[in-house]
Amino acid sequence: FAGLSDVSISGDIPVEGEITVPVGSLSHDDEYSTLDEPVKETILRDLKAVGKKFGHVMYPKKSTTLLRDWDLWGPLLLCVTLALMLQGGSADSKEDGGPQFAEVFVIIWFGSVIITLNSKLLGGTISFFQSLCVLGYCILPLTVAMIVCRLVLLGGTGTASFIVRFIVVVASFGWSTFASTAFLADSQPPNRKALVVYPVFLFYFVISWMILTFSPSHSNTGP
């Protein structure tokens, strides 16, 4: 190792890269931390993000918001709301729709998982939870249709009521299918898009059929 002490770096050779980090030059993102954020602001921020995703579903366009900033709060809210409104329908048993909440909950989440796995097996490029987010948020039109159907059923269950509910449910079914495929289509191989859209079609069709065939139960209270 003789002679190494005589080796020196010439001052004419530029040294690339930043080797010092100024203490007072932290960016705004580095200074901001959600750990110190009040709970109220956290809830309002999450609710605002969910509301923006609802807007993207009602007006589907070329946007990656549902894929980039995915969450499962919106799908959970829609699933619980839809299951609660479908509960209490007419049933053959004496109990007024006892297991319906669990049935709807399982159908929605299990169906979403199956469609997501099918998409991944066909070569989809989105993650598991991104697909669940899209499928869950796109239930929004059907949830709105369920609310409208419940209001229409307050006026009776005649032919006119069925026609109105049929039109609302079909329109919501088409909107949910269109919105979900608009977000998921670009992430699928071009020659396999039909294999991905078909399970999505069946998924929303089952939910639409449950909404259309729903009829409120009337307990028979005899003297």
Side-chain angles (χ1 to χ4, degrees), residues 48-86:
K48 186 180 296 184
V50 171
K52 288 182 179 179
K53 293 183 179 67
F54 284 160
H56 284 292
V57 173
M58 298 308 296
Y59 181 64
K61 55 183 179 180
K62 294 293 183 180
S63 175
T64 59
T65 302
L66 287 180
L67 300 178
R68 184 181 65 252
D69 304 326
W70 64 267
D71 67 81
L72 299 180
W73 291 113
L76 179 62
L77 176 63
L78 293 174
C79 180
V80 172
T81 302
L82 187 59
L84 287 174
M85 287 190 297
L86 284 172

PDB file of all heavy atoms in Angstrom, residues 48-86:
ATOM      1  N   LYS A  48     -64.302  13.706   2.032  1.00  0.00           N
ATOM      2  CA  LYS A  48     -64.173  14.466   0.783  1.00  0.00           C
ATOM      3  C   LYS A  48     -63.605  13.589  -0.331  1.00  0.00           C
ATOM      4  O   LYS A  48     -64.052  13.669  -1.480  1.00  0.00           O
ATOM      5  CB  LYS A  48     -63.265  15.672   1.015  1.00  0.00           C
ATOM      6  CG  LYS A  48     -63.171  16.608  -0.182  1.00  0.00           C
ATOM      7  CD  LYS A  48     -62.243  17.781   0.128  1.00  0.00           C
ATOM      8  CE  LYS A  48     -62.791  18.625   1.252  1.00  0.00           C
ATOM      9  NZ  LYS A  48     -61.932  19.827   1.486  1.00  0.00           N
ATOM     10  N   ALA A  49     -62.643  12.728   0.014  1.00  0.00           N
ATOM     11  CA  ALA A  49     -62.074  11.825  -0.986  1.00  0.00           C
ATOM     12  C   ALA A  49     -63.111  10.820  -1.469  1.00  0.00           C
ATOM     13  O   ALA A  49     -63.196  10.517  -2.670  1.00  0.00           O
ATOM     14  CB  ALA A  49     -60.863  11.101  -0.400  1.00  0.00           C
ATOM     15  N   VAL A  50     -63.933  10.307  -0.547  1.00  0.00           N
ATOM     16  CA  VAL A  50     -65.001   9.378  -0.938  1.00  0.00           C
ATOM     17  C   VAL A  50     -66.009  10.066  -1.833  1.00  0.00           C
ATOM     18  O   VAL A  50     -66.486   9.504  -2.829  1.00  0.00           O
ATOM     19  CB  VAL A  50     -65.678   8.790   0.319  1.00  0.00           C
ATOM     20  CG1 VAL A  50     -66.919   7.995  -0.059  1.00  0.00           C
ATOM     21  CG2 VAL A  50     -64.701   7.892   1.081  1.00  0.00           C
ATOM     22  N   GLY A  51     -66.365  11.314  -1.487  1.00  0.00           N
ATOM     23  CA  GLY A  51     -67.312  12.064  -2.312  1.00  0.00           C
ATOM     24  C   GLY A  51     -66.800  12.306  -3.717  1.00  0.00           C
ATOM     25  O   GLY A  51     -67.559  12.234  -4.694  1.00  0.00           O
ATOM     26  N   LYS A  52     -65.500  12.568  -3.857  1.00  0.00           N
ATOM     27  CA  LYS A  52     -64.928  12.771  -5.192  1.00  0.00           C
ATOM     28  C   LYS A  52     -65.002  11.486  -6.012  1.00  0.00           C
ATOM     29  O   LYS A  52     -65.277  11.524  -7.218  1.00  0.00           O
ATOM     30  CB  LYS A  52     -63.476  13.232  -5.069  1.00  0.00           C
ATOM     31  CG  LYS A  52     -63.321  14.664  -4.567  1.00  0.00           C
ATOM     32  CD  LYS A  52     -61.863  15.060  -4.517  1.00  0.00           C
ATOM     33  CE  LYS A  52     -61.712  16.504  -4.040  1.00  0.00           C
ATOM     34  NZ  LYS A  52     -60.286  16.926  -3.965  1.00  0.00           N
ATOM     35  N   LYS A  53     -64.785  10.351  -5.358  1.00  0.00           N
ATOM     36  CA  LYS A  53     -64.879   9.078  -6.078  1.00  0.00           C
ATOM     37  C   LYS A  53     -66.314   8.798  -6.497  1.00  0.00           C
ATOM     38  O   LYS A  53     -66.560   8.232  -7.574  1.00  0.00           O
ATOM     39  CB  LYS A  53     -64.327   7.949  -5.207  1.00  0.00           C
ATOM     40  CG  LYS A  53     -62.828   8.040  -4.956  1.00  0.00           C
ATOM     41  CD  LYS A  53     -62.348   6.860  -4.160  1.00  0.00           C
ATOM     42  CE  LYS A  53     -60.841   6.915  -3.928  1.00  0.00           C
ATOM     43  NZ  LYS A  53     -60.440   8.024  -3.060  1.00  0.00           N
ATOM     44  N   PHE A  54     -67.282   9.170  -5.669  1.00  0.00           N
ATOM     45  CA  PHE A  54     -68.680   9.038  -6.068  1.00  0.00           C
ATOM     46  C   PHE A  54     -68.957   9.864  -7.323  1.00  0.00           C
ATOM     47  O   PHE A  54     -69.689   9.431  -8.221  1.00  0.00           O
ATOM     48  CB  PHE A  54     -69.601   9.496  -4.936  1.00  0.00           C
ATOM     49  CG  PHE A  54     -69.722   8.500  -3.821  1.00  0.00           C
ATOM     50  CD1 PHE A  54     -70.158   8.898  -2.568  1.00  0.00           C
ATOM     51  CD2 PHE A  54     -69.402   7.167  -4.010  1.00  0.00           C
ATOM     52  CE1 PHE A  54     -70.273   7.985  -1.529  1.00  0.00           C
ATOM     53  CE2 PHE A  54     -69.503   6.246  -2.988  1.00  0.00           C
ATOM     54  CZ  PHE A  54     -69.952   6.660  -1.740  1.00  0.00           C
ATOM     55  N   GLY A  55     -68.383  11.059  -7.371  1.00  0.00           N
ATOM     56  CA  GLY A  55     -68.555  11.895  -8.551  1.00  0.00           C
ATOM     57  C   GLY A  55     -67.960  11.280  -9.794  1.00  0.00           C
ATOM     58  O   GLY A  55     -68.537  11.375 -10.889  1.00  0.00           O
ATOM     59  N   HIS A  56     -66.818  10.611  -9.665  1.00  0.00           N
ATOM     60  CA  HIS A  56     -66.204   9.946 -10.812  1.00  0.00           C
ATOM     61  C   HIS A  56     -67.060   8.780 -11.300  1.00  0.00           C
ATOM     62  O   HIS A  56     -67.084   8.480 -12.501  1.00  0.00           O
ATOM     63  CB  HIS A  56     -64.812   9.448 -10.451  1.00  0.00           C
ATOM     64  CG  HIS A  56     -63.774  10.525 -10.392  1.00  0.00           C
ATOM     65  ND1 HIS A  56     -63.340  11.208 -11.510  1.00  0.00           N
ATOM     66  CD2 HIS A  56     -63.097  11.068  -9.344  1.00  0.00           C
ATOM     67  CE1 HIS A  56     -62.426  12.104 -11.172  1.00  0.00           C
ATOM     68  NE2 HIS A  56     -62.275  12.040  -9.857  1.00  0.00           N
ATOM     69  N   VAL A  57     -67.765   8.111 -10.378  1.00  0.00           N
ATOM     70  CA  VAL A  57     -68.631   6.997 -10.786  1.00  0.00           C
ATOM     71  C   VAL A  57     -69.856   7.523 -11.529  1.00  0.00           C
ATOM     72  O   VAL A  57     -70.261   6.968 -12.560  1.00  0.00           O
ATOM     73  CB  VAL A  57     -69.054   6.177  -9.558  1.00  0.00           C
ATOM     74  CG1 VAL A  57     -70.098   5.134  -9.954  1.00  0.00           C
ATOM     75  CG2 VAL A  57     -67.851   5.488  -8.948  1.00  0.00           C
ATOM     76  N   MET A  58     -70.461   8.596 -11.025  1.00  0.00           N
ATOM     77  CA  MET A  58     -71.640   9.147 -11.683  1.00  0.00           C
ATOM     78  C   MET A  58     -71.288   9.807 -13.010  1.00  0.00           C
ATOM     79  O   MET A  58     -72.147   9.914 -13.889  1.00  0.00           O
ATOM     80  CB  MET A  58     -72.322  10.166 -10.759  1.00  0.00           C
ATOM     81  CG  MET A  58     -72.823   9.577  -9.454  1.00  0.00           C
ATOM     82  SD  MET A  58     -73.875   8.114  -9.664  1.00  0.00           S
ATOM     83  CE  MET A  58     -75.272   8.831 -10.539  1.00  0.00           C
ATOM     84  N   TYR A  59     -70.040  10.241 -13.157  1.00  0.00           N
ATOM     85  CA  TYR A  59     -69.588  10.810 -14.433  1.00  0.00           C
ATOM     86  C   TYR A  59     -68.285  10.126 -14.827  1.00  0.00           C
ATOM     87  O   TYR A  59     -67.204  10.682 -14.688  1.00  0.00           O
ATOM     88  CB  TYR A  59     -69.405  12.324 -14.306  1.00  0.00           C
ATOM     89  CG  TYR A  59     -68.959  12.990 -15.591  1.00  0.00           C
ATOM     90  CD1 TYR A  59     -69.779  12.979 -16.730  1.00  0.00           C
ATOM     91  CD2 TYR A  59     -67.722  13.630 -15.681  1.00  0.00           C
ATOM     92  CE1 TYR A  59     -69.363  13.573 -17.901  1.00  0.00           C
ATOM     93  CE2 TYR A  59     -67.306  14.232 -16.846  1.00  0.00           C
ATOM     94  CZ  TYR A  59     -68.133  14.199 -17.949  1.00  0.00           C
ATOM     95  OH  TYR A  59     -67.728  14.791 -19.125  1.00  0.00           O
ATOM     96  N   PRO A  60     -68.379   8.866 -15.279  1.00  0.00           N
ATOM     97  CA  PRO A  60     -67.158   8.118 -15.602  1.00  0.00           C
ATOM     98  C   PRO A  60     -66.422   8.728 -16.782  1.00  0.00           C
ATOM     99  O   PRO A  60     -67.014   9.089 -17.787  1.00  0.00           O
ATOM    100  CB  PRO A  60     -67.686   6.715 -15.941  1.00  0.00           C
ATOM    101  CG  PRO A  60     -69.106   6.924 -16.345  1.00  0.00           C
ATOM    102  CD  PRO A  60     -69.602   8.098 -15.555  1.00  0.00           C
ATOM    103  N   LYS A  61     -65.132   8.837 -16.624  1.00  0.00           N
ATOM    104  CA  LYS A  61     -64.284   9.373 -17.678  1.00  0.00           C
ATOM    105  C   LYS A  61     -62.902   8.769 -17.522  1.00  0.00           C
ATOM    106  O   LYS A  61     -62.648   7.961 -16.637  1.00  0.00           O
ATOM    107  CB  LYS A  61     -64.224  10.901 -17.602  1.00  0.00           C
ATOM    108  CG  LYS A  61     -63.773  11.430 -16.254  1.00  0.00           C
ATOM    109  CD  LYS A  61     -63.795  12.941 -16.208  1.00  0.00           C
ATOM    110  CE  LYS A  61     -63.357  13.453 -14.839  1.00  0.00           C
ATOM    111  NZ  LYS A  61     -63.370  14.921 -14.773  1.00  0.00           N
ATOM    112  N   LYS A  62     -62.016   9.182 -18.392  1.00  0.00           N
ATOM    113  CA  LYS A  62     -60.643   8.683 -18.338  1.00  0.00           C
ATOM    114  C   LYS A  62     -59.939   9.290 -17.126  1.00  0.00           C
ATOM    115  O   LYS A  62     -59.292  10.330 -17.183  1.00  0.00           O
ATOM    116  CB  LYS A  62     -59.895   9.047 -19.626  1.00  0.00           C
ATOM    117  CG  LYS A  62     -60.431   8.358 -20.867  1.00  0.00           C
ATOM    118  CD  LYS A  62     -60.188   6.853 -20.808  1.00  0.00           C
ATOM    119  CE  LYS A  62     -60.666   6.165 -22.073  1.00  0.00           C
ATOM    120  NZ  LYS A  62     -60.432   4.716 -22.048  1.00  0.00           N
ATOM    121  N   SER A  63     -60.093   8.629 -16.008  1.00  0.00           N
ATOM    122  CA  SER A  63     -59.486   9.099 -14.777  1.00  0.00           C
ATOM    123  C   SER A  63     -58.907   7.917 -14.017  1.00  0.00           C
ATOM    124  O   SER A  63     -59.481   6.823 -14.023  1.00  0.00           O
ATOM    125  CB  SER A  63     -60.520   9.826 -13.905  1.00  0.00           C
ATOM    126  OG  SER A  63     -59.975  10.182 -12.653  1.00  0.00           O
ATOM    127  N   THR A  64     -57.798   8.156 -13.345  1.00  0.00           N
ATOM    128  CA  THR A  64     -57.160   7.101 -12.566  1.00  0.00           C
ATOM    129  C   THR A  64     -57.341   7.319 -11.072  1.00  0.00           C
ATOM    130  O   THR A  64     -56.618   6.729 -10.270  1.00  0.00           O
ATOM    131  CB  THR A  64     -55.656   7.048 -12.893  1.00  0.00           C
ATOM    132  OG1 THR A  64     -55.052   8.328 -12.579  1.00  0.00           O
ATOM    133  CG2 THR A  64     -55.423   6.723 -14.364  1.00  0.00           C
ATOM    134  N   THR A  65     -58.311   8.168 -10.702  1.00  0.00           N
ATOM    135  CA  THR A  65     -58.488   8.470  -9.281  1.00  0.00           C
ATOM    136  C   THR A  65     -58.873   7.235  -8.495  1.00  0.00           C
ATOM    137  O   THR A  65     -58.351   6.970  -7.411  1.00  0.00           O
ATOM    138  CB  THR A  65     -59.555   9.562  -9.108  1.00  0.00           C
ATOM    139  OG1 THR A  65     -59.158  10.734  -9.827  1.00  0.00           O
ATOM    140  CG2 THR A  65     -59.722   9.924  -7.644  1.00  0.00           C
ATOM    141  N   LEU A  66     -59.825   6.456  -9.034  1.00  0.00           N
ATOM    142  CA  LEU A  66     -60.263   5.259  -8.321  1.00  0.00           C
ATOM    143  C   LEU A  66     -59.155   4.216  -8.236  1.00  0.00           C
ATOM    144  O   LEU A  66     -59.145   3.389  -7.317  1.00  0.00           O
ATOM    145  CB  LEU A  66     -61.491   4.647  -9.006  1.00  0.00           C
ATOM    146  CG  LEU A  66     -62.816   5.400  -8.840  1.00  0.00           C
ATOM    147  CD1 LEU A  66     -63.922   4.670  -9.580  1.00  0.00           C
ATOM    148  CD2 LEU A  66     -63.182   5.563  -7.388  1.00  0.00           C
ATOM    149  N   LEU A  67     -58.241   4.237  -9.179  1.00  0.00           N
ATOM    150  CA  LEU A  67     -57.166   3.255  -9.181  1.00  0.00           C
ATOM    151  C   LEU A  67     -55.965   3.731  -8.377  1.00  0.00           C
ATOM    152  O   LEU A  67     -55.315   2.946  -7.696  1.00  0.00           O
ATOM    153  CB  LEU A  67     -56.736   2.951 -10.622  1.00  0.00           C
ATOM    154  CG  LEU A  67     -57.825   2.383 -11.535  1.00  0.00           C
ATOM    155  CD1 LEU A  67     -57.272   2.173 -12.934  1.00  0.00           C
ATOM    156  CD2 LEU A  67     -58.367   1.078 -10.987  1.00  0.00           C
ATOM    157  N   ARG A  68     -55.686   5.021  -8.447  1.00  0.00           N
ATOM    158  CA  ARG A  68     -54.504   5.543  -7.761  1.00  0.00           C
ATOM    159  C   ARG A  68     -54.754   5.694  -6.266  1.00  0.00           C
ATOM    160  O   ARG A  68     -53.976   5.210  -5.441  1.00  0.00           O
ATOM    161  CB  ARG A  68     -54.108   6.901  -8.373  1.00  0.00           C
ATOM    162  CG  ARG A  68     -52.834   7.478  -7.776  1.00  0.00           C
ATOM    163  CD  ARG A  68     -52.501   8.820  -8.391  1.00  0.00           C
ATOM    164  NE  ARG A  68     -53.507   9.824  -8.079  1.00  0.00           N
ATOM    165  CZ  ARG A  68     -54.370  10.313  -8.948  1.00  0.00           C
ATOM    166  NH1 ARG A  68     -54.347   9.889 -10.210  1.00  0.00           N
ATOM    167  NH2 ARG A  68     -55.255  11.227  -8.600  1.00  0.00           N
ATOM    168  N   ASP A  69     -55.844   6.367  -5.899  1.00  0.00           N
ATOM    169  CA  ASP A  69     -56.169   6.614  -4.493  1.00  0.00           C
ATOM    170  C   ASP A  69     -57.291   5.679  -4.057  1.00  0.00           C
ATOM    171  O   ASP A  69     -58.374   6.119  -3.664  1.00  0.00           O
ATOM    172  CB  ASP A  69     -56.569   8.082  -4.295  1.00  0.00           C
ATOM    173  CG  ASP A  69     -55.494   9.040  -4.767  1.00  0.00           C
ATOM    174  OD1 ASP A  69     -54.308   8.686  -4.619  1.00  0.00           O
ATOM    175  OD2 ASP A  69     -55.826  10.121  -5.271  1.00  0.00           O
ATOM    176  N   TRP A  70     -57.041   4.382  -4.125  1.00  0.00           N
ATOM    177  CA  TRP A  70     -58.094   3.426  -3.813  1.00  0.00           C
ATOM    178  C   TRP A  70     -58.338   3.366  -2.310  1.00  0.00           C
ATOM    179  O   TRP A  70     -57.442   3.626  -1.500  1.00  0.00           O
ATOM    180  CB  TRP A  70     -57.716   2.046  -4.347  1.00  0.00           C
ATOM    181  CG  TRP A  70     -56.497   1.451  -3.707  1.00  0.00           C
ATOM    182  CD1 TRP A  70     -55.213   1.546  -4.156  1.00  0.00           C
ATOM    183  CD2 TRP A  70     -56.446   0.691  -2.498  1.00  0.00           C
ATOM    184  NE1 TRP A  70     -54.360   0.885  -3.313  1.00  0.00           N
ATOM    185  CE2 TRP A  70     -55.091   0.348  -2.272  1.00  0.00           C
ATOM    186  CE3 TRP A  70     -57.407   0.262  -1.591  1.00  0.00           C
ATOM    187  CZ2 TRP A  70     -54.682  -0.406  -1.182  1.00  0.00           C
ATOM    188  CZ3 TRP A  70     -57.010  -0.489  -0.494  1.00  0.00           C
ATOM    189  CH2 TRP A  70     -55.662  -0.809  -0.293  1.00  0.00           C
ATOM    190  N   ASP A  71     -59.572   3.056  -1.957  1.00  0.00           N
ATOM    191  CA  ASP A  71     -59.945   2.793  -0.574  1.00  0.00           C
ATOM    192  C   ASP A  71     -61.182   1.908  -0.584  1.00  0.00           C
ATOM    193  O   ASP A  71     -61.834   1.728  -1.618  1.00  0.00           O
ATOM    194  CB  ASP A  71     -60.223   4.093   0.191  1.00  0.00           C
ATOM    195  CG  ASP A  71     -61.462   4.815  -0.328  1.00  0.00           C
ATOM    196  OD1 ASP A  71     -62.588   4.415   0.064  1.00  0.00           O
ATOM    197  OD2 ASP A  71     -61.322   5.755  -1.134  1.00  0.00           O
ATOM    198  N   LEU A  72     -61.512   1.340   0.551  1.00  0.00           N
ATOM    199  CA  LEU A  72     -62.667   0.447   0.676  1.00  0.00           C
ATOM    200  C   LEU A  72     -63.743   1.022   1.579  1.00  0.00           C
ATOM    201  O   LEU A  72     -64.704   0.324   1.901  1.00  0.00           O
ATOM    202  CB  LEU A  72     -62.216  -0.928   1.212  1.00  0.00           C
ATOM    203  CG  LEU A  72     -61.214  -1.681   0.341  1.00  0.00           C
ATOM    204  CD1 LEU A  72     -60.863  -3.016   0.978  1.00  0.00           C
ATOM    205  CD2 LEU A  72     -61.745  -1.889  -1.067  1.00  0.00           C
ATOM    206  N   TRP A  73     -63.606   2.291   1.973  1.00  0.00           N
ATOM    207  CA  TRP A  73     -64.630   2.914   2.818  1.00  0.00           C
ATOM    208  C   TRP A  73     -65.911   3.137   2.035  1.00  0.00           C
ATOM    209  O   TRP A  73     -67.014   2.864   2.530  1.00  0.00           O
ATOM    210  CB  TRP A  73     -64.118   4.233   3.383  1.00  0.00           C
ATOM    211  CG  TRP A  73     -63.031   4.085   4.394  1.00  0.00           C
ATOM    212  CD1 TRP A  73     -61.724   4.465   4.269  1.00  0.00           C
ATOM    213  CD2 TRP A  73     -63.146   3.498   5.699  1.00  0.00           C
ATOM    214  NE1 TRP A  73     -61.019   4.160   5.401  1.00  0.00           N
ATOM    215  CE2 TRP A  73     -61.859   3.570   6.304  1.00  0.00           C
ATOM    216  CE3 TRP A  73     -64.202   2.925   6.411  1.00  0.00           C
ATOM    217  CZ2 TRP A  73     -61.612   3.087   7.586  1.00  0.00           C
ATOM    218  CZ3 TRP A  73     -63.964   2.449   7.682  1.00  0.00           C
ATOM    219  CH2 TRP A  73     -62.685   2.529   8.261  1.00  0.00           C
ATOM    220  N   GLY A  74     -65.794   3.642   0.815  1.00  0.00           N
ATOM    221  CA  GLY A  74     -66.976   3.860  -0.014  1.00  0.00           C
ATOM    222  C   GLY A  74     -67.710   2.578  -0.342  1.00  0.00           C
ATOM    223  O   GLY A  74     -68.935   2.491  -0.165  1.00  0.00           O
ATOM    224  N   PRO A  75     -67.013   1.538  -0.837  1.00  0.00           N
ATOM    225  CA  PRO A  75     -67.693   0.261  -1.089  1.00  0.00           C
ATOM    226  C   PRO A  75     -68.353  -0.326   0.153  1.00  0.00           C
ATOM    227  O   PRO A  75     -69.451  -0.882   0.074  1.00  0.00           O
ATOM    228  CB  PRO A  75     -66.556  -0.644  -1.591  1.00  0.00           C
ATOM    229  CG  PRO A  75     -65.595   0.301  -2.223  1.00  0.00           C
ATOM    230  CD  PRO A  75     -65.644   1.538  -1.383  1.00  0.00           C
ATOM    231  N   LEU A  76     -67.707  -0.200   1.315  1.00  0.00           N
ATOM    232  CA  LEU A  76     -68.303  -0.721   2.545  1.00  0.00           C
ATOM    233  C   LEU A  76     -69.580   0.040   2.881  1.00  0.00           C
ATOM    234  O   LEU A  76     -70.595  -0.562   3.262  1.00  0.00           O
ATOM    235  CB  LEU A  76     -67.305  -0.614   3.697  1.00  0.00           C
ATOM    236  CG  LEU A  76     -67.803  -1.092   5.059  1.00  0.00           C
ATOM    237  CD1 LEU A  76     -68.163  -2.567   5.020  1.00  0.00           C
ATOM    238  CD2 LEU A  76     -66.752  -0.827   6.136  1.00  0.00           C
ATOM    239  N   LEU A  77     -69.554   1.367   2.730  1.00  0.00           N
ATOM    240  CA  LEU A  77     -70.742   2.177   3.008  1.00  0.00           C
ATOM    241  C   LEU A  77     -71.887   1.818   2.074  1.00  0.00           C
ATOM    242  O   LEU A  77     -73.042   1.662   2.505  1.00  0.00           O
ATOM    243  CB  LEU A  77     -70.382   3.663   2.883  1.00  0.00           C
ATOM    244  CG  LEU A  77     -71.531   4.659   3.044  1.00  0.00           C
ATOM    245  CD1 LEU A  77     -72.127   4.568   4.446  1.00  0.00           C
ATOM    246  CD2 LEU A  77     -71.050   6.079   2.769  1.00  0.00           C
ATOM    247  N   LEU A  78     -71.588   1.666   0.776  1.00  0.00           N
ATOM    248  CA  LEU A  78     -72.628   1.330  -0.191  1.00  0.00           C
ATOM    249  C   LEU A  78     -73.173  -0.072   0.059  1.00  0.00           C
ATOM    250  O   LEU A  78     -74.389  -0.301  -0.056  1.00  0.00           O
ATOM    251  CB  LEU A  78     -72.060   1.430  -1.607  1.00  0.00           C
ATOM    252  CG  LEU A  78     -71.683   2.829  -2.090  1.00  0.00           C
ATOM    253  CD1 LEU A  78     -70.995   2.757  -3.446  1.00  0.00           C
ATOM    254  CD2 LEU A  78     -72.915   3.726  -2.161  1.00  0.00           C
ATOM    255  N   CYS A  79     -72.291  -1.000   0.392  1.00  0.00           N
ATOM    256  CA  CYS A  79     -72.724  -2.378   0.633  1.00  0.00           C
ATOM    257  C   CYS A  79     -73.655  -2.455   1.841  1.00  0.00           C
ATOM    258  O   CYS A  79     -74.694  -3.115   1.791  1.00  0.00           O
ATOM    259  CB  CYS A  79     -71.510  -3.272   0.828  1.00  0.00           C
ATOM    260  SG  CYS A  79     -71.903  -5.002   1.140  1.00  0.00           S
ATOM    261  N   VAL A  80     -73.278  -1.793   2.925  1.00  0.00           N
ATOM    262  CA  VAL A  80     -74.114  -1.807   4.132  1.00  0.00           C
ATOM    263  C   VAL A  80     -75.446  -1.124   3.867  1.00  0.00           C
ATOM    264  O   VAL A  80     -76.508  -1.609   4.296  1.00  0.00           O
ATOM    265  CB  VAL A  80     -73.359  -1.136   5.293  1.00  0.00           C
ATOM    266  CG1 VAL A  80     -74.283  -0.964   6.500  1.00  0.00           C
ATOM    267  CG2 VAL A  80     -72.144  -1.962   5.688  1.00  0.00           C
ATOM    268  N   THR A  81     -75.421   0.010   3.155  1.00  0.00           N
ATOM    269  CA  THR A  81     -76.666   0.726   2.852  1.00  0.00           C
ATOM    270  C   THR A  81     -77.597  -0.122   2.007  1.00  0.00           C
ATOM    271  O   THR A  81     -78.801  -0.222   2.285  1.00  0.00           O
ATOM    272  CB  THR A  81     -76.344   2.038   2.119  1.00  0.00           C
ATOM    273  OG1 THR A  81     -75.469   2.836   2.925  1.00  0.00           O
ATOM    274  CG2 THR A  81     -77.615   2.822   1.832  1.00  0.00           C
ATOM    275  N   LEU A  82     -77.062  -0.744   0.976  1.00  0.00           N
ATOM    276  CA  LEU A  82     -77.881  -1.577   0.101  1.00  0.00           C
ATOM    277  C   LEU A  82     -78.423  -2.792   0.849  1.00  0.00           C
ATOM    278  O   LEU A  82     -79.594  -3.166   0.677  1.00  0.00           O
ATOM    279  CB  LEU A  82     -77.057  -2.016  -1.109  1.00  0.00           C
ATOM    280  CG  LEU A  82     -77.794  -2.759  -2.226  1.00  0.00           C
ATOM    281  CD1 LEU A  82     -78.920  -1.897  -2.788  1.00  0.00           C
ATOM    282  CD2 LEU A  82     -76.828  -3.142  -3.334  1.00  0.00           C
ATOM    283  N   ALA A  83     -77.604  -3.410   1.670  1.00  0.00           N
ATOM    284  CA  ALA A  83     -78.048  -4.577   2.426  1.00  0.00           C
ATOM    285  C   ALA A  83     -79.139  -4.213   3.426  1.00  0.00           C
ATOM    286  O   ALA A  83     -80.098  -4.970   3.626  1.00  0.00           O
ATOM    287  CB  ALA A  83     -76.861  -5.213   3.137  1.00  0.00           C
ATOM    288  N   LEU A  84     -79.008  -3.053   4.071  1.00  0.00           N
ATOM    289  CA  LEU A  84     -80.027  -2.627   5.029  1.00  0.00           C
ATOM    290  C   LEU A  84     -81.358  -2.341   4.339  1.00  0.00           C
ATOM    291  O   LEU A  84     -82.422  -2.658   4.874  1.00  0.00           O
ATOM    292  CB  LEU A  84     -79.544  -1.385   5.780  1.00  0.00           C
ATOM    293  CG  LEU A  84     -78.455  -1.595   6.829  1.00  0.00           C
ATOM    294  CD1 LEU A  84     -77.986  -0.255   7.378  1.00  0.00           C
ATOM    295  CD2 LEU A  84     -78.959  -2.494   7.945  1.00  0.00           C
ATOM    296  N   MET A  85     -81.306  -1.741   3.152  1.00  0.00           N
ATOM    297  CA  MET A  85     -82.548  -1.429   2.447  1.00  0.00           C
ATOM    298  C   MET A  85     -83.206  -2.672   1.862  1.00  0.00           C
ATOM    299  O   MET A  85     -84.419  -2.718   1.700  1.00  0.00           O
ATOM    300  CB  MET A  85     -82.278  -0.401   1.346  1.00  0.00           C
ATOM    301  CG  MET A  85     -82.019   0.999   1.878  1.00  0.00           C
ATOM    302  SD  MET A  85     -81.981   2.255   0.570  1.00  0.00           S
ATOM    303  CE  MET A  85     -80.568   1.691  -0.363  1.00  0.00           C
ATOM    304  N   LEU A  86     -82.397  -3.686   1.529  1.00  0.00           N
ATOM    305  CA  LEU A  86     -82.970  -4.927   1.016  1.00  0.00           C
ATOM    306  C   LEU A  86     -83.469  -5.827   2.136  1.00  0.00           C
ATOM    307  O   LEU A  86     -84.209  -6.783   1.873  1.00  0.00           O
ATOM    308  CB  LEU A  86     -81.922  -5.680   0.190  1.00  0.00           C
ATOM    309  CG  LEU A  86     -81.643  -5.128  -1.209  1.00  0.00           C
ATOM    310  CD1 LEU A  86     -80.465  -5.844  -1.840  1.00  0.00           C
ATOM    311  CD2 LEU A  86     -82.877  -5.273  -2.094  1.00  0.00           C
TER     312      LEU A  86
END
